[in-house]
Amino acid sequence: ATERTLSIIKPDATKRNLTGKINAKFEDAGLRIVAQKRLHLTKAQAGKFYEVHAERPFYDELCEFMASGPVVAQVLEGEGAIAKNREVMGATNPADAAAGTIRAEFAESVGENSVHGSDAAETAKEEISFFFSGLEIVG
Ligand code: CMP
């Protein structure tokens, strides 16, 4: 089925001018970028987005990092988009990411790993509505 998923190009990647190269990976995999905006999150906004990780030891570091520079939030659409995006991103830790994936090519560490993608249908829906209104998504 056609799905939508929320993607974030993280500050480590926007700083290194990698937005276009990362978008090319999505588009080459058949994912359509149906919404996109560049934002500089506050630490509080990052904290709200990553609320599910609040008890994790890396939560504070994660929120600091996500507020350390611009991010590009986007909605990707396509057949099985949630799984496909996770495939294109590669494993969370770049050391474990398959060759050719975004994280294998661009990520610097498990924390500064260039991209975020929703992990399931329910979270995709919540995460898309965190950043975008219906009017901003043009399929
Ligand atoms: P993401 O898919 O954005 O979802 C949660 C993020 O937490 C994850 O990617 C990683 O970037 C980050 N993360 C996971 N494990 C660690 C860790 N050990 N140290 C720092 N950040 C982490």
Side-chain angles (χ1 to χ4, degrees), residues 10 49-50 53 56-59 61-62 65-66 86 89 92 103 109-113 115-117:
K10 297 188 180 185
F49 181 78
Y50 280 118
H53 296 305
R56 306 277 196 106
F58 55 80
Y59 179 65
E61 184 191 330
L62 172 62
F65 166 62
M66 290 301 286
R86 296 181 69 76
M89 289 194 295
T92 304
R103 284 164 172 162
S109 66
V110 68
E112 306 203 0
N113 64 352
V115 279
H116 165 81

Side-chain angles (χ1 to χ4, degrees), residues 1-6 30-32 34 75-85 118-122 124 128:
T2 299
E3 292 175 343
R4 286 175 173 173
T5 191
L6 189 278
L31 292 163
R32 304 182 72 83
V34 296
V75 179
L76 307 179
E77 183 182 88
E79 186 65 27
I82 297 166
K84 187 174 280 182
N85 180 40
S118 307
D119 63 0
E122 189 53 36
I128 288 169

Side-chain angles (χ1 to χ4, degrees), residues 85-106:
N85 180 40
R86 296 181 69 76
E87 216 177 285
V88 175
M89 289 194 295
T92 304
N93 187 340
D96 303 326
T101 61
I102 291 169
R103 284 164 172 162
E105 283 190 25
F106 304 128

